[in-house]
Every structure is written in C-alpha cells, then in structure tokens.
Amino acid sequence: MLHTGKEIFTNPKTGKPYKYRELFKQPKMAEFLRNISLSGKDYFYRGWWAEKAAAEIQLNKGFVTMEDFSKYKATWRQPANTTYKKYIVQTIGTQWGGPELIEKVNLIELAGIGEGNQSYLTNSSALFWLASINRFSAFVSSFIHFGSNGISKLKAALGLDLSNRCTKSSAEAIWEKIGTVEKMKIMNGKIKKLLGGGTGKIAVNHHSDGVVSVDKDGNVCSMVHTINSLPWGTGLFVQGNALSNFGSIYKAAVNLTEPGERLADAQQPIIVFKKHQRSLSTSLNEVLVSKPVLALSVVGSSLSFVTTQRFTAMLDSKMNPKQAIEAPTFYLPSPRSFQQDIRVEKTKFSERLLGEVRAMGQEITEVDDHEMRAIFSPDVAITIDEGNLYGCSNPITNGLAEGIKK
C-alpha cells in the first residue's frame, strides 16, 4: 500500500507520465475514501492508514509518530479579537499568529499610525513605528515558539509578561518599553543580544494559499491553507495520499509540540467589522449588528509584516484593495541582521523617506527584484462599502479576484 509518486503518476498503458487529455485514475485513493466512508475518522487517525503512514514517516527520519495520530483531536478555537478605533478586528485564535496580530494592531493604535496624514508610505515616523512594531512582535513569536521557556526568558530579559498578548494591557506595557525612539534603540539592543547565538531568522512559509470571500448576505470568510513546507511533497504516498513533508520548516516547533497538541500556527487571516452599523429588531429585543468591511489573507515568508501594512492602508488611508496591494511594501528582516532591519525593494520608497527613517535608528536594506521575490508575500483582499465589493489578488502568483452575480 506504500507507493511512490512515480508509480502513481505513470500511465500503466504507456509506462510514461500522464499527458494532457489522458485519463488519470487513482484506484488507491478511491480505496482510501471508501475506507473512510465505512470506518470514519478513526481509519485515518487510529487505524490501518495511520499505522502505515507513521511507519513510513519514521523510516524516513520524520517526526510524526503513531501516538501523534492517535491523540490528535480537531478542536474549535475561539477567534482572537480586539478593537481598533471604530472597528472590531477578528483573526484566528491560535497561540501564535492570532495573538501576534492582535498585539500589533493594539500597538499600531497606541503609536498613532494612520492618524491624520500619518501614512507609513509618506510619513517617516509612521514607517519607523510600523516597522519597529512588526519586528518586535515577530521576534517575540519566533523566540517563544522555536525555543524552550521562551516566555519566562523574555520576561527576565525584557521585563515584560508576554503570556497574554491579546490584551490591551499587554500592549500598553510593551509600548511603555518601546514608545520612544530612544527606548526602541534600547529594545533593539536587547533583541540582538538574545539572538546573539543564532541568525534571528524567522521560518518561511511556502506552498500556501490565501482565500477571502463574501456572499450577498454579508457572510465573510478569510482563511489560509498551508503545509508549512519548502517542497510540496516527499514523493511518498500511503494508499494514494501524499505524505507532504508538512511542517518541515518548523522542525524546532515540532520537537516542542506534545502528542495530540496542534503545531503552533503563524498564519494571520483577518476580518474587520465596523462597530454596530445597524440594528435588527427581534420579538424580544433589539440586536446590534457589526458590519464586515474588510477581509484579508496574506501568505509567504513576510506575511506577518505585510498584513499590518495592508490593514492600515485600507482602513486608515482609505485605499481600495488594488491600491493597497500595489503600494510600496517592506518585508521581513535579513537572515543575519538579528531582527534589526527591514527589507524594501529598490526605488519603491522615496529616498527622502528612507533616509529619515534610517536617521531615527531603523536599519533598512534595499534589495533587487530577484531577492524580493524570495521574501515576497502575496495577498488577497476584499472591502465591503455600502454593498459595493472591491477585491484584488496579487497577480505575481496567479492570484484571482472574481465576482459572481446571481
């Protein structure tokens, strides 16, 4: 029942890989689906398939064991949320991506980014603080989830309790530590010292898809699908199912994850609501309803940096999705900068703006188009404005924005 990709994708009639218009059959996959229909989820998590998959993974020096399969449970997590000016912000309720995004949104509000004409695209103070906030929060996430006792070590080194990053009080405590240019310089030094024995590199995400959608009734979805792996597959199949090398870029986090627990998730899909736009009368009382105005999903190695830029561009600068996605963008720090710099594509930001931000103490590395594509994070967004929908997806990675009128 163990197969290689070559065996599955070779046409038995020709002995060669399937060609366009040839009929591709997957009898082993059909057998797998038949067993699932008869035995339910236990076939996958505790039955024959799990045993064979775990054995194959172990044989190829992977991490997943039969204990991981048998103890795993699909769980519903409450979304993480906060308020931002006149908006309610919702994201996934995981222990990594959700809290990081909520922390950044709270810090962005404290920093006053987007107030008046404070766009990060034209104002040096706004760009400095948006870059600094992104660097700080991304550092905290990677330090917590790629090493042991990260929260206690950060408390000792930074004087911050980062065990509940979704609260306004946590953001206020952070802002007290970083809220001036001089304080940020001191924090940068502490971050660099904590990363002194390593590269400070944040793991990258590949082979991911962001999806956002909204229907005529105003129901909104924002999601990310990813296997957190560099190559999509391993070439190994169990009963027609690919062993996809999932989570391979998070090996350190995998080692820290107990059997039955979920691997920490760095994704940050977001839905934004405008507070109490209309009310619905019921037989009992009046119900206040918050109206969705934005759905955004970003993938790729710089997703945590790009998400907040699109967020403030569309909400604060009132850009539509196309304008926001095409705006100049900064990306995650260089691998050996110890989380000190941000990277920007040459000629995208004005030299005056970059010079002013550098003078404030923010390191900036300008990269060419080739290097930019290695750290690029494609995104897709929809805004809802009085019933009018505006959608855009980045064309570099074959993104698609489509409206269907019924």
Side-chain angles (χ1 to χ4, degrees):
M1 292 293 184
L2 301 179
H3 306 279
T4 64
K6 182 178 180 181
E7 178 184 350
I8 289 178
F9 295 106
T10 296
N11 189 331
K13 293 183 178 179
T14 64
K16 297 179 180 180
Y18 282 97
K19 295 181 179 180
Y20 177 61
R21 289 188 177 277
E22 289 184 345
L23 181 61
F24 176 42
K25 295 183 179 181
Q26 298 187 78
K28 298 301 180 183
M29 176 63 77
E31 181 182 350
F32 168 78
L33 295 174
R34 189 178 302 111
N35 286 324
I36 289 288
S37 68
L38 293 173
S39 303
K41 62 183 181 181
D42 281 348
Y43 181 75
F44 185 88
Y45 289 110
R46 299 172 181 84
W48 181 93
W49 192 91
E51 293 175 356
K52 296 298 181 183
E56 189 69 10
I57 291 169
Q58 291 296 305
L59 182 63
N60 287 275
K61 299 181 180 181
F63 293 101
V64 178
T65 67
M66 185 61 198
E67 186 181 15
D68 291 313
F69 276 111
S70 63
K71 288 188 174 181
Y72 181 80
K73 293 181 179 179
T75 57
W76 171 262
R77 295 182 183 272
Q78 290 297 321
N81 63 80
T82 191
T83 57
Y84 179 78
K85 301 177 182 178
K86 59 184 178 181
Y87 302 103
I88 299 170
V89 180
Q90 298 262 13
T91 186
I92 57 176
T94 65
Q95 68 273 47
W96 181 345
E100 180 185 320
L101 179 58
I102 296 301
E103 178 181 88
K104 290 184 294 187
V105 168
N106 288 334
L107 288 170
I108 287 170
E109 187 168 32
L110 289 171
I113 296 170
E115 296 289 348
N117 296 319
Q118 299 291 303
S119 168
Y120 74 96
L121 296 169
T122 56
N123 182 278
S124 58
S125 178
L127 179 54
F128 173 84
W129 284 116
L130 190 57
S132 297
I133 289 167
N134 273 284
R135 286 191 303 101
F136 174 84
S137 292
F139 157 74
V140 169
S141 293
S142 59
F143 196 87
I144 290 174
H145 295 290
F146 289 113
S148 59
N149 303 315
I151 291 178
S152 60
K153 291 177 181 176
L154 289 175
K155 186 174 183 178
L158 308 182
L160 289 168
D161 181 0
L162 296 164
S163 59
N164 193 352
R165 301 172 71 190
C166 290
T167 63
K168 295 284 189 181
S169 58
S170 178
E172 290 166 359
I174 294 170
W175 188 245
E176 180 62 31
K177 294 285 187 180
I178 70 171
T180 67
V181 171
E182 187 57 38
K183 286 181 178 179
M184 194 66 230
K185 288 180 180 178
I186 294 172
M187 181 60 70
N188 286 338
K190 292 180 179 180
I191 291 173
K192 190 170 185 178
K193 183 177 180 180
L194 284 167
L195 295 175
T199 64
K201 183 178 180 180
I202 298 176
V204 297
N205 303 298
H206 288 265
H207 289 291
S208 306
D209 293 295
V211 179
V212 296
S213 64
V214 59
D215 66 15
K216 62 183 178 62
D217 298 316
N219 299 305
V220 178
C221 171
S222 178
M223 62 172 285
V224 174
H225 173 269
T226 182
I227 59 171
N228 290 321
S229 176
L230 293 171
W232 185 87
T234 59
L236 300 173
F237 289 73
V238 177
Q239 207 173 31
N241 280 269
L243 301 181
S244 60
N245 206 24
F246 47 86
S248 64
I249 62 171
Y250 289 151
K251 289 181 179 179
V254 170
N255 284 333
L256 295 172
T257 305
E258 295 295 327
E261 293 185 5
R262 290 186 64 91
L263 182 66
D265 187 355
Q267 311 308 318
Q268 299 177 15
I270 187 171
I271 298 175
V272 178
F273 300 83
K274 202 167 187 178
K275 294 180 184 176
H276 308 321
Q277 282 297 101
R278 63 184 188 277
S279 62
L280 297 176
S281 296
T282 70
S283 58
L284 297 177
N285 52 22
E286 188 175 61
V287 179
L288 294 177
V289 179
S290 297
K291 179 182 177 182
V293 295
L294 168 66
L296 169 67
S297 183
V298 186
V299 299
S301 56
S302 294
L303 73 90
S304 65
F305 286 72
V306 174
T307 298
T308 49
Q309 294 173 74
R310 304 296 186 250
F311 172 86
T312 185
M314 287 184 278
L315 290 185
D316 297 323
S317 299
K318 307 303 179 185
M319 292 184 178
N320 63 42
K322 184 176 186 295
Q323 292 170 328
I325 287 174
E326 292 180 348
T329 304
F330 63 83
Y331 300 99
L332 83 170
S334 306
R336 299 189 182 281
S337 77
F338 300 98
Q339 292 286 74
Q340 301 299 297
D341 73 343
I342 56 171
R343 285 181 279 185
V344 303
E345 189 177 1
K346 292 178 180 177
T347 75
K348 294 297 184 180
F349 286 90
S350 75
E351 285 302 316
R352 175 199 61 79
L353 180 64
L354 296 183
E356 291 176 356
V357 175
R358 285 187 175 112
M360 297 173 73
Q362 174 59 61
E363 297 180 20
I364 299 173
T365 302
E366 296 182 72
V367 299
D368 58 24
D369 178 72
H370 177 74
E371 184 175 348
M372 184 277 295
R373 287 175 180 267
I375 56 175
F376 178 74
S377 282
D379 45 343
V380 56
I382 293 174
T383 56
I384 305 103
D385 180 15
E386 302 300 330
N388 297 311
L389 305 181
Y390 302 88
C392 186
S393 181
N394 204 296
I396 289 181
T397 51
N398 299 317
L400 173 68
E402 185 176 43
I404 302 174
K405 186 176 181 179
K406 293 186 177 181

Coordinates of all heavy atoms in Angstrom, one line a residue, residues 314-362:
M314 N -5.7 50.2 4.0 CA -7.1 50.1 3.6 C -8.0 50.8 4.7 O -9.0 51.5 4.3 CB -7.6 48.7 3.4 CG -7.0 48.1 2.1 SD -7.6 46.5 1.6 CE -6.5 45.5 2.6
L315 N -7.7 50.6 6.0 CA -8.6 51.2 7.0 C -8.3 52.7 7.3 O -9.2 53.5 7.4 CB -8.5 50.4 8.3 CG -9.1 49.0 8.3 CD1 -9.0 48.4 9.7 CD2 -10.5 49.0 7.8
D316 N -7.0 53.0 7.4 CA -6.6 54.4 7.8 C -6.4 55.3 6.6 O -6.9 56.5 6.6 CB -5.3 54.4 8.6 CG -5.5 53.6 9.9 OD1 -6.6 53.7 10.5 OD2 -4.6 52.9 10.3
S317 N -5.8 54.8 5.5 CA -5.6 55.6 4.3 C -6.7 55.5 3.3 O -6.6 56.1 2.2 CB -4.2 55.3 3.7 OG -3.2 55.5 4.6
K318 N -7.7 54.7 3.6 CA -8.9 54.5 2.7 C -8.5 54.1 1.3 O -9.2 54.4 0.4 CB -9.7 55.8 2.7 CG -10.0 56.4 4.1 CD -10.8 55.3 4.9 CE -11.2 55.9 6.3 NZ -11.8 54.9 7.1
M319 N -7.5 53.3 1.2 CA -7.1 52.7 -0.1 C -8.1 51.6 -0.4 O -8.6 50.9 0.5 CB -5.7 52.2 -0.1 CG -4.6 53.2 -0.1 SD -3.0 52.5 -0.2 CE -2.0 53.9 -0.2
N320 N -8.4 51.3 -1.7 CA -9.1 50.1 -2.1 C -8.1 49.0 -2.2 O -6.8 49.2 -2.1 CB -9.9 50.3 -3.4 CG -9.0 50.6 -4.6 OD1 -7.9 50.0 -4.8 ND2 -9.4 51.5 -5.4
P321 N -8.5 47.7 -2.2 CA -7.6 46.6 -2.2 C -6.5 46.7 -3.3 O -5.3 46.4 -3.1 CB -8.5 45.4 -2.4 CG -9.8 45.8 -1.8 CD -9.9 47.2 -2.2
K322 N -6.8 47.1 -4.5 CA -5.8 47.2 -5.6 C -4.8 48.2 -5.2 O -3.6 48.0 -5.4 CB -6.5 47.6 -6.9 CG -5.5 47.6 -8.1 CD -6.3 47.9 -9.4 CE -5.4 47.8 -10.6 NZ -4.4 48.8 -10.6
Q323 N -5.2 49.4 -4.7 CA -4.2 50.4 -4.4 C -3.3 49.9 -3.2 O -2.1 50.2 -3.2 CB -4.9 51.7 -3.9 CG -5.7 52.4 -5.1 CD -6.6 53.5 -4.5 OE1 -7.1 53.4 -3.4 NE2 -6.7 54.5 -5.3
A324 N -3.9 49.2 -2.2 CA -3.1 48.8 -1.1 C -2.1 47.7 -1.5 O -0.9 47.7 -1.1 CB -4.0 48.2 0.0
I325 N -2.5 46.8 -2.3 CA -1.7 45.6 -2.7 C -0.5 46.1 -3.6 O 0.6 45.6 -3.6 CB -2.5 44.5 -3.4 CG1 -3.3 43.8 -2.4 CG2 -1.6 43.6 -4.2 CD1 -4.3 42.8 -2.9
E326 N -0.8 47.2 -4.4 CA 0.2 47.7 -5.3 C 1.1 48.7 -4.7 O 2.1 49.2 -5.3 CB -0.4 48.3 -6.6 CG -1.1 47.3 -7.5 CD -1.8 47.9 -8.7 OE1 -1.9 49.2 -8.7 OE2 -2.1 47.1 -9.6
A327 N 0.9 49.1 -3.4 CA 1.7 50.1 -2.7 C 3.0 49.6 -2.4 O 3.2 48.4 -2.2 CB 0.9 50.6 -1.4
P328 N 4.0 50.5 -2.2 CA 5.3 50.0 -1.7 C 5.2 49.2 -0.4 O 4.4 49.6 0.4 CB 6.1 51.3 -1.5 CG 5.4 52.3 -2.4 CD 4.0 51.9 -2.4
T329 N 6.1 48.2 -0.3 CA 5.9 47.3 0.8 C 7.3 47.0 1.4 O 8.3 46.9 0.7 CB 5.3 45.9 0.3 OG1 4.1 46.2 -0.3 CG2 5.1 45.0 1.5
F330 N 7.3 46.8 2.8 CA 8.6 46.4 3.4 C 8.4 44.9 3.9 O 7.3 44.5 4.2 CB 9.1 47.3 4.5 CG 8.2 47.4 5.7 CD1 8.2 46.5 6.7 CD2 7.3 48.5 5.8 CE1 7.4 46.6 7.8 CE2 6.4 48.6 6.9 CZ 6.5 47.7 7.9
Y331 N 9.5 44.2 3.9 CA 9.5 42.8 4.2 C 10.3 42.4 5.4 O 11.0 43.3 6.0 CB 10.0 42.0 2.9 CG 9.1 42.3 1.7 CD1 9.5 43.2 0.8 CD2 7.9 41.7 1.5 CE1 8.8 43.5 -0.4 CE2 7.1 41.9 0.4 CZ 7.5 42.9 -0.5 OH 6.8 43.1 -1.6
L332 N 10.3 41.1 5.8 CA 10.9 40.6 7.0 C 12.4 40.9 7.0 O 13.1 41.1 6.0 CB 10.7 39.2 7.2 CG 11.5 38.1 6.5 CD1 11.2 36.7 7.0 CD2 11.4 38.1 5.0
P333 N 13.0 40.9 8.2 CA 14.5 41.2 8.3 C 15.4 40.3 7.6 O 15.0 39.1 7.3 CB 14.7 41.2 9.8 CG 13.4 41.4 10.4 CD 12.4 40.8 9.5
S334 N 16.6 40.7 7.3 CA 17.6 39.9 6.6 C 18.0 38.8 7.6 O 18.0 39.0 8.8 CB 18.8 40.7 6.3 OG 18.5 41.8 5.5
P335 N 18.4 37.6 7.1 CA 18.6 36.5 8.0 C 19.7 36.7 9.1 O 19.6 36.2 10.2 CB 19.1 35.4 7.0 CG 18.4 35.7 5.7 CD 18.4 37.2 5.7
R336 N 20.7 37.6 8.8 CA 21.8 37.7 9.8 C 21.8 39.2 10.4 O 22.8 39.6 10.8 CB 23.1 37.4 9.1 CG 23.2 36.0 8.6 CD 24.6 35.6 8.2 NE 24.6 34.3 7.7 CZ 24.7 33.2 8.4 NH1 24.7 33.3 9.7 NH2 24.7 32.0 7.8
S337 N 20.6 39.8 10.4 CA 20.5 41.1 10.9 C 20.1 41.1 12.4 O 20.1 42.2 13.0 CB 19.5 42.0 10.2 OG 18.2 41.7 10.5
F338 N 19.9 39.9 13.0 CA 19.4 39.8 14.3 C 18.1 40.6 14.6 O 18.0 41.3 15.6 CB 20.5 40.2 15.3 CG 21.8 39.4 15.2 CD1 22.9 39.9 14.5 CD2 21.9 38.2 15.8 CE1 24.0 39.2 14.4 CE2 23.0 37.4 15.7 CZ 24.1 37.9 15.0
Q339 N 17.2 40.5 13.6 CA 15.9 41.2 13.7 C 16.0 42.7 13.8 O 15.1 43.3 14.3 CB 15.1 40.6 14.9 CG 14.7 39.2 14.7 CD 13.6 39.0 13.8 OE1 13.8 39.1 12.5 NE2 12.4 38.8 14.2
Q340 N 17.1 43.3 13.2 CA 17.3 44.7 13.3 C 16.8 45.5 12.1 O 16.4 46.7 12.2 CB 18.7 45.1 13.5 CG 19.3 44.4 14.8 CD 18.7 44.9 16.0 OE1 18.7 46.0 16.4 NE2 18.1 43.9 16.7
D341 N 16.8 44.9 10.9 CA 16.5 45.7 9.7 C 15.1 45.3 9.1 O 14.5 44.3 9.6 CB 17.5 45.5 8.6 CG 17.5 44.1 7.9 OD1 16.9 43.2 8.5 OD2 18.1 44.0 6.9
I342 N 14.6 46.0 8.1 CA 13.6 45.6 7.3 C 14.1 45.7 5.9 O 15.1 46.3 5.6 CB 12.3 46.5 7.4 CG1 12.7 48.0 7.1 CG2 11.6 46.3 8.7 CD1 11.5 48.9 7.0
R343 N 13.5 44.9 5.0 CA 14.0 44.9 3.6 C 12.9 45.6 2.7 O 11.7 45.3 2.8 CB 14.3 43.5 3.1 CG 15.6 43.0 3.7 CD 15.9 41.6 3.2 NE 15.2 40.5 3.9 CZ 15.4 39.2 3.8 NH1 16.2 38.8 2.8 NH2 14.7 38.4 4.5
V344 N 13.4 46.4 1.8 CA 12.5 47.1 0.8 C 13.1 46.9 -0.6 O 14.3 46.8 -0.8 CB 12.3 48.6 1.1 CG1 11.8 48.8 2.5 CG2 13.6 49.3 0.9
E345 N 12.2 46.9 -1.6 CA 12.6 46.8 -3.0 C 13.2 48.1 -3.4 O 12.6 49.2 -3.1 CB 11.5 46.3 -3.9 CG 12.0 46.0 -5.3 CD 10.9 45.5 -6.1 OE1 9.7 45.4 -5.7 OE2 11.1 45.2 -7.3
K346 N 14.3 48.1 -4.1 CA 14.9 49.4 -4.6 C 13.9 50.2 -5.4 O 13.2 49.7 -6.2 CB 16.2 49.0 -5.4 CG 17.3 48.4 -4.6 CD 18.5 48.1 -5.5 CE 19.6 47.5 -4.7 NZ 20.8 47.1 -5.6
T347 N 14.0 51.5 -5.1 CA 13.2 52.5 -5.9 C 11.8 52.6 -5.5 O 11.0 53.5 -6.0 CB 13.4 52.4 -7.4 OG1 12.5 51.3 -7.8 CG2 14.8 52.2 -7.8
K348 N 11.3 51.7 -4.7 CA 9.8 51.7 -4.4 C 9.5 52.8 -3.4 O 8.5 53.5 -3.6 CB 9.4 50.4 -3.8 CG 9.5 49.2 -4.8 CD 8.6 49.4 -6.0 CE 8.6 48.3 -6.9 NZ 7.7 48.4 -8.1
F349 N 10.2 53.0 -2.3 CA 10.0 54.1 -1.4 C 10.9 55.2 -1.7 O 12.0 55.0 -2.3 CB 10.4 53.6 0.1 CG 9.3 52.7 0.7 CD1 9.5 51.4 0.6 CD2 8.3 53.3 1.4 CE1 8.6 50.5 1.2 CE2 7.4 52.4 2.1 CZ 7.5 51.0 1.9
S350 N 10.5 56.5 -1.4 CA 11.4 57.6 -1.7 C 12.6 57.6 -0.9 O 12.6 57.2 0.3 CB 10.6 58.9 -1.5 OG 10.5 59.2 -0.1
E351 N 13.7 58.1 -1.5 CA 15.0 58.1 -0.7 C 14.9 59.0 0.5 O 15.5 58.8 1.5 CB 16.1 58.5 -1.7 CG 16.5 57.4 -2.7 CD 17.0 56.2 -1.9 OE1 17.8 56.3 -1.0 OE2 16.6 55.1 -2.4
R352 N 14.1 60.1 0.3 CA 14.0 61.0 1.5 C 13.3 60.3 2.6 O 13.8 60.4 3.8 CB 13.1 62.2 1.0 CG 12.7 63.2 2.2 CD 11.5 64.0 1.9 NE 10.3 63.2 1.7 CZ 9.6 62.7 2.6 NH1 9.9 62.8 3.9 NH2 8.5 62.0 2.3
L353 N 12.3 59.6 2.4 CA 11.6 58.9 3.4 C 12.5 57.8 4.1 O 12.6 57.7 5.3 CB 10.3 58.2 2.9 CG 9.5 57.3 3.9 CD1 8.9 58.3 4.9 CD2 8.4 56.6 3.1
L354 N 13.2 57.0 3.3 CA 14.1 56.0 3.8 C 15.2 56.7 4.6 O 15.6 56.2 5.7 CB 14.7 55.2 2.7 CG 13.7 54.3 1.9 CD1 14.4 53.5 0.9 CD2 12.9 53.4 2.8
G355 N 15.8 57.8 4.2 CA 16.8 58.5 4.9 C 16.4 59.0 6.2 O 17.1 58.9 7.2
E356 N 15.1 59.5 6.3 CA 14.6 60.0 7.6 C 14.4 58.8 8.6 O 14.7 59.0 9.8 CB 13.3 60.7 7.4 CG 13.5 62.0 6.6 CD 12.1 62.7 6.3 OE1 11.1 62.1 6.6 OE2 12.1 63.8 5.8
V357 N 13.9 57.7 8.1 CA 13.7 56.5 8.9 C 15.0 56.0 9.4 O 15.1 55.6 10.6 CB 12.9 55.5 8.2 CG1 12.7 54.2 9.0 CG2 11.5 56.0 7.8
R358 N 16.0 55.9 8.6 CA 17.3 55.5 9.0 C 17.9 56.4 10.1 O 18.5 55.9 11.0 CB 18.3 55.4 7.8 CG 18.0 54.2 6.8 CD 19.1 54.2 5.8 NE 19.0 53.0 4.9 CZ 18.7 53.1 3.6 NH1 18.4 54.2 3.0 NH2 18.6 51.9 2.9
A359 N 17.7 57.7 9.9 CA 18.2 58.6 10.9 C 17.6 58.4 12.3 O 18.2 58.8 13.3 CB 18.0 60.0 10.4
M360 N 16.4 57.8 12.3 CA 15.7 57.5 13.6 C 16.2 56.2 14.2 O 15.9 55.9 15.4 CB 14.2 57.4 13.4 CG 13.5 58.7 12.9 SD 11.8 58.5 12.4 CE 11.1 58.3 14.1
G361 N 17.0 55.5 13.5 CA 17.6 54.3 14.0 C 17.2 53.0 13.4 O 17.6 51.9 13.9
Q362 N 16.2 53.0 12.5 CA 15.7 51.8 11.9 C 16.6 51.4 10.7 O 16.7 52.2 9.7 CB 14.3 52.0 11.4 CG 13.7 50.8 10.6 CD 13.7 49.5 11.4 OE1 13.1 49.4 12.4 NE2 14.5 48.5 10.9

